[in-house]
Each structure stands twice: as structure tokens, then as C-alpha cells.
Amino acid sequence: MSFSIKFNDHELCDYLRVVSIRRNIGTTRTNNTVKSGDRAGQIFTSMTRDMATIEIEFKMKNNLIEKRRELAAILNVTEPAVLILGDEPSKYYKAIPDGDISPEDQNFLSSVTLQFVVPDGLAHALDAKQFPFQEEDDETVIENRGTTSAPLDIHATFLSDADSIGFTNDTQTVQFGTTFSEDESENEFVPSERVIFDGMGPTYRNEWKPNVGRPRFKYDYGEGSSRVTGKVRWLESKVRITDYGSIKDDDPGFWHGPTLTRNLTESLNNFTAYFRFKMKPGGKRKNRPKSQGLLEINLMDADNNFVMGFGLKDNDPNKASVMYDFFIGDHRVFRGHLPRKVLKYTTGIFGYVEMSKVGNKFSFKLCHLKEGFRENWSVKKTYLNDSVAMLSFKTINFYGAKWKRIRDMITEWTSTTITKINTEDDSLVPLVFYEGDELFVDGQNNHVYINGIRDDNYRVIGSSQFLTAPVGKTAYSVLTDGNVEGHYEMREQYL
């Protein structure tokens, strides 16, 4: 009889035959007690659960050395990964190998005992269940058929502007946005205004002008100056560079590619600008490190002076190495390199950069996104600059380029959002929601995202930190001063 054990998307039973699996009933329990005076015995105070362990005994036959190497590569993880056992195919564990794995060899047969540690001590349902929000005054009933409480993810789309939103059951209330108490005046806060909410699809095409923008890198560098040439293609929800222009064999080396430019209807003294993008190599995996690319996002004033900017560049043809730069005015204020945990995702990046200016404070956030727009890595920097603070933001300029005839990167811009901040004190900016905003609350990790941007500050202080579903049926209500649609999402959990 065959048996399946999948770890991190690899089938271990392609290499091994299962002899036995040892799992405890639940997890190790520790009861905490205290001695009280002359009272007999002790007083129970609390109970804690430890992590769980799973031991799997295998047999390996033939090609032992080759199988050992392949198994070592599969098990070489640095964080818990998904483990699915064949006798419970609808559940998974977040597990990581533990201890020594020491096969006992006898000729062409080897016995192996493999131990996995499950830090949270739980099994999780492989399939998530969704529970739509009900109409106003109606409650959403969530039935948890697991054996312990489960965190709830929240997905909400705002159909109108709103100051706040809350989600509540009989024992919990979590709130997001800005709420005002009876002794607090809403007028103390200065509302912001969203001036651009651009999905970068064909609907917005006429707002952008091709090849009229100014690159930042080597703009005036003689024969080696960066060139503006080439074309883009407007797809359903993104703009992709499809042509970087031509270059002759005897031309000097230079970067070349198209620009996209959009002018705002007014200049902004204080703002937050959000851009989602992709710069990744294509083709076969072995050729990807050979790709090179340059991506720029620059914010300009009405006289074409730089206010803020961001750049990505891969100029190493021998390995995957991508540097990123933050600029204020004409000067680079920071340079870093994407870490390995980002580059392992096909050696490039899909993510976003957020640039903001409030008074003389300039802030940057660069983030790599995984599937589902989940943050995998981010870096934040803030600087003060009095001279550039005098400039106002009027124009957005994108630039994507390749080096000479070297293999290019896939370069796309997928979202642009610009918000006008009507104060020079960012503590007076209310965290509110606009029509079209998408709120996602990751219940498992307790993270809050607005339109794919993680911002835990949206959680109202004093409300519950988590929204969970206890075992059985529980009713939930949505409380907001706006209109929303959405759903709760739950993966049942088992001790």
C-alpha cells in the first residue's frame, strides 16, 4: 500500500517507504500551580501547551547515496513549511525538520527516523472557508468544526468613503481607521484627498504620455547618456515594456528604454505616492542571472526638477544582484541591495515603493510581495531636508531600460495611487478609507493591509487585537459609517 508524505511541495515517498508515524494526542500540556500558605496541595493558575512533534520511520532501498543528497536538499529549509500526511490529506502542519537524521545502512537497505517539529502544535485545514458579510442589521454566522478556535482573515472592499470599520461578536471587537470620542473633535484632524487611483490598465491610458519624460541615471553623460526610446503595451491591469528601442553594434554603451509621464491637476506640497511594479528576468532559469535592467520612478515639480525618486538596477551579467536607491532632489540618500530571500523569487522583484513628503520629512518604503500581495520583505527610511521641502510634486515619471543588447528584464507598472496630505503635521492625518479601498486583515499573522500596503497603524488602539472563531457557531456584525462588501475567511484548526 502506497502512502503520501508531502513536505514543501515535495513527495518524500518518491524516495522512501513509510514504516510508521508517531503523533501525540494533542500537544504536551504544562499545568502551572502555586503553593498557598498551609493549604493542602497547590492552587491551579494556568495551563500552557508546548509545540508538537511528529516522528516518521522510513525505509530506503537502492541508490542510497543519491537519495540522501536529494533528501538533504528537500529538507534544507530555514523556516516551517507545509507538511501533509497521507492519512489526513485535507490538513497540513507548519513543520520543520529537527535533530540529526542518521540512516542505518545494511547493504542496499537503510532505516531512517525523521522528526518534524510543529511550533504552533496544530493541524490546519487545507481548504479555507468563506463567509460573506450580510446585509445591514443581519449577522454572519460562522461555524467552526475544528477542535480549537481559529483566526479569521477579513477581506473588505469599501463602496464609499468611511472613517472607520469594526467587526464584532459577543466577546470581541476589532476596529480599523479613525474613531472619535465624545471629548475629541473631528475637526482636529485634517482629512487627506486621494487624487489618483490608477490601476494602470487601458482605462487610464490617455492619462499617460509616452517618451516625454526625463531619466535620472546618466541623463546628461555625453555619448553614454541614457536614451528614451521604445514602446509599452497596456494590458488588463498593468503596463509592460515590449520594446526598448534599437542599438547598433558600434554604438557606445548606454541604457535605453521608454518613459511614461503623467501630470497631476495641481501641485502637491505634502503627499503619499504608492507604486506597484515588477522587474524580473524571464526565460529559462539558467539564463535569468544574465539579465540586466533599470527601473526608475521619479516625482518631479512643474519645472522638471526632481522632488523624490526611487531606482532599481541590475548591472551584473554574472549573477543575480539588484541594487535599490532612494533619492531626495538630485541626490541619492540611500543605496541597498535586495536580500537573498527576495532574489530567490526568480532573481527579481514584484513589489511596491511608497514615497511620502510631509513638511520637510521625506519617507520611503520598499516592499517585496509574495502571492496574494503578502509582504515578504521591506525596508523603511526617513530623512529631513529643508531645501527640497520647498519643491511641490506635479509630475510622475517612469523609466524602464536595458543595457546595450544585453538580455533585458520583464518590466511592468501595475498600480499608482497619489494622496494629497492637507497638513504639515502627519500626526493630524486621520487613517480613513476611500471608495475602492481594499482592507485585508491577516488573522494568522495579525497584519493589516490597505490596498496591498501593510499598515498596522490602521488598528484602533483599545480594540481587540484578534478576531477569532471559537468551536461551534458564532455570529459576527460589521459596524461602519460607510458601505462595504466582503467576507471572512477561516481555516479550521485541530489539536
Side-chain angles (χ1 to χ4, degrees):
M1 176 181 174
S2 62
F3 193 85
S4 172
I5 296 182
K6 288 186 177 179
F7 179 68
N8 202 24
D9 288 330
H10 295 278
E11 177 56 73
L12 299 187
C13 291
D14 289 343
Y15 308 89
L16 306 162
R17 181 174 62 85
V18 177
V19 175
S20 66
I21 300 178
R22 291 185 289 277
R23 285 165 287 187
N24 293 333
I25 297 177
T27 59
T28 301
R29 298 164 58 98
T30 301
N31 296 314
N32 303 306
T33 60
V34 295
K35 183 69 176 175
S36 177
D38 296 331
R39 180 174 177 173
Q42 297 191 17
I43 299 174
F44 175 83
T45 57
S46 63
M47 184 273 294
T48 58
R49 290 190 173 93
D50 204 346
M51 60 186 179
T53 58
I54 299 173
E55 286 190 354
I56 306 174
E57 187 179 343
F58 297 100
K59 294 285 187 183
M60 276 195 307
K61 186 177 181 181
N62 300 324
N63 303 320
L64 299 182
I65 294 177
E66 180 181 343
K67 289 181 177 179
R68 283 183 183 179
R69 297 298 183 196
E70 293 178 356
L71 281 171
I74 292 172
L75 300 174
N76 183 30
V77 297
T78 57
E79 58 187 13
V82 171
L83 172 68
I84 302 175
L85 304 180
D87 56 357
E88 286 190 302
S90 64
K91 300 177 179 65
Y92 71 90
Y93 298 88
K94 297 177 181 177
I96 188 167
D98 188 51
D100 294 330
I101 305 172
S102 303
E104 298 178 5
D105 296 344
Q106 293 180 352
N107 296 325
F108 298 101
L109 186 65
S110 181
S111 298
V112 185
T113 299
L114 177 59
Q115 180 170 283
F116 287 97
V117 167
V118 183
D120 66 3
L122 300 172
H124 305 260
L126 198 61
D127 296 325
K129 295 181 178 180
Q130 293 186 357
F131 303 87
F133 300 162
Q134 298 303 307
E135 297 293 334
E136 189 175 357
D137 299 328
D138 286 337
E139 296 178 322
T140 300
V141 176
I142 296 177
E143 183 176 9
N144 178 4
R145 295 184 178 182
T147 60
T148 187
S149 62
L152 293 178
D153 291 347
I154 301 170
H155 299 259
T157 300
F158 286 82
L159 306 179
S160 68
D161 295 351
D163 288 333
S164 66
I165 188 169
F167 304 89
T168 182
N169 59 24
D170 288 340
T171 60
Q172 300 170 311
T173 298
V174 296
Q175 289 181 282
F176 306 93
T178 300
T179 61
F180 303 95
S181 63
E182 293 181 359
D183 59 350
E184 184 178 38
S185 172
E186 183 176 352
N187 294 328
E188 292 179 5
F189 291 90
V190 184
S192 302
E193 302 172 47
R194 176 177 289 166
V195 295
I196 292 179
F197 190 52
D198 190 331
M200 303 305 292
T203 303
Y204 308 94
R205 179 174 183 169
N206 292 335
E207 303 291 339
W208 297 87
K209 303 299 180 185
N211 294 345
V212 298
R214 168 190 170 188
R216 180 188 289 270
F217 185 67
K218 292 189 175 180
Y219 170 66
D220 188 10
Y221 202 71
E223 290 187 341
S225 298
S226 297
R227 313 291 173 87
V228 176
T229 179
K231 299 177 181 178
V232 300
R233 182 181 178 187
W234 292 83
L235 302 173
E236 181 179 357
S237 58
K238 57 190 174 186
V239 183
R240 175 183 295 171
I241 296 179
T242 55
D243 180 7
Y244 289 87
S246 60
I247 182 173
K248 299 178 182 179
D249 289 334
D250 57 353
D251 279 343
F254 52 77
W255 293 91
H256 55 103
T259 63
L260 272 180
T261 301
R262 178 169 177 171
N263 292 315
L264 281 61
T265 56
E266 63 174 314
S267 295
L268 306 182
N269 292 322
N270 303 297
F271 57 85
T272 294
Y274 164 86
F275 306 95
R276 195 166 64 235
F277 59 86
K278 178 167 77 173
M279 191 178 85
K280 290 186 175 182
K284 295 181 179 180
R285 183 174 293 274
K286 66 177 182 180
N287 293 326
R288 291 173 186 169
K290 302 176 184 178
S291 299
Q292 297 185 49
L294 172 66
L295 178 150
E296 293 183 357
I297 302 175
N298 291 307
L299 311 182
M300 327 281 285
D301 73 358
D303 296 320
N304 216 28
N305 298 306
F306 292 115
V307 180
M308 295 182 73
F310 161 73
L312 282 175
K313 184 165 59 176
D314 182 343
N315 61 354
D316 192 328
N318 301 312
K319 63 179 181 180
S321 177
V322 180
M323 65 184 73
Y324 61 92
D325 296 319
F326 298 145
F327 299 91
I328 297 176
D330 293 325
H331 303 289
R332 183 177 68 227
V333 293
F334 183 81
R335 166 164 287 180
H337 287 79
L338 297 182
R340 287 189 177 183
K341 68 181 299 184
V342 172
L343 293 179
K344 73 177 183 179
Y345 290 82
T346 67
T347 73
I349 182 173
F350 170 67
Y352 69 80
V353 63
E354 186 178 54
M355 295 182 278
S356 65
K357 172 185 175 295
V358 180
N360 67 345
K361 184 166 75 173
F362 295 77
S363 300
F364 301 83
K365 179 181 179 182
L366 172 63
C367 178
H368 171 247
L369 299 173
K370 295 195 294 186
E371 182 180 356
F373 300 110
R374 306 292 180 90
E375 292 194 8
N376 179 52
W377 167 87
S378 66
V379 59
K380 298 179 181 179
K381 299 291 179 181
T382 299
Y383 304 91
L384 300 179
N385 188 302
D386 291 326
S387 59
V388 182
M390 305 300 293
L391 301 180
S392 299
F393 163 39
K394 175 67 173 179
T395 300
I396 307 166
N397 191 48
F398 295 154
Y399 180 53
K402 64 180 290 186
W403 173 249
K404 299 176 68 173
R405 289 188 171 186
I406 302 298
R407 185 184 185 90
D408 60 81
M409 307 280 263
I410 298 171
T411 302
E412 297 174 346
W413 295 284
T414 64
S415 182
T416 297
T417 302
I418 309 296
T419 302
K420 177 184 178 182
I421 298 175
N422 292 312
T423 176
E424 294 197 359
D425 184 349
D426 55 3
S427 67
L428 297 179
V429 179
L431 299 174
V432 298
F433 304 97
Y434 298 96
E435 180 180 353
D437 275 351
E438 295 181 357
L439 167 68
F440 169 62
V441 183
D442 181 349
Q444 190 70 43
N445 297 305
N446 198 27
H447 295 162
V448 180
Y449 297 85
I450 306 296
N451 301 319
I453 305 173
R454 182 178 170 185
D455 193 341
D456 296 331
N457 292 322
Y458 267 80
R459 188 183 300 277
V460 173
I461 297 174
S463 69
S464 302
Q465 286 295 301
F466 300 92
L467 192 66
T468 58
V471 175
K473 293 183 179 180
T474 307
Y476 295 81
S477 299
V478 179
L479 307 174
T480 181
D481 58 333
N483 296 316
V484 297
E485 62 181 11
H487 63 272
Y488 305 97
E489 189 167 274
M490 175 187 67
R491 292 183 188 272
E492 290 160 333
Q493 300 185 150
Y494 305 84
L495 294 170

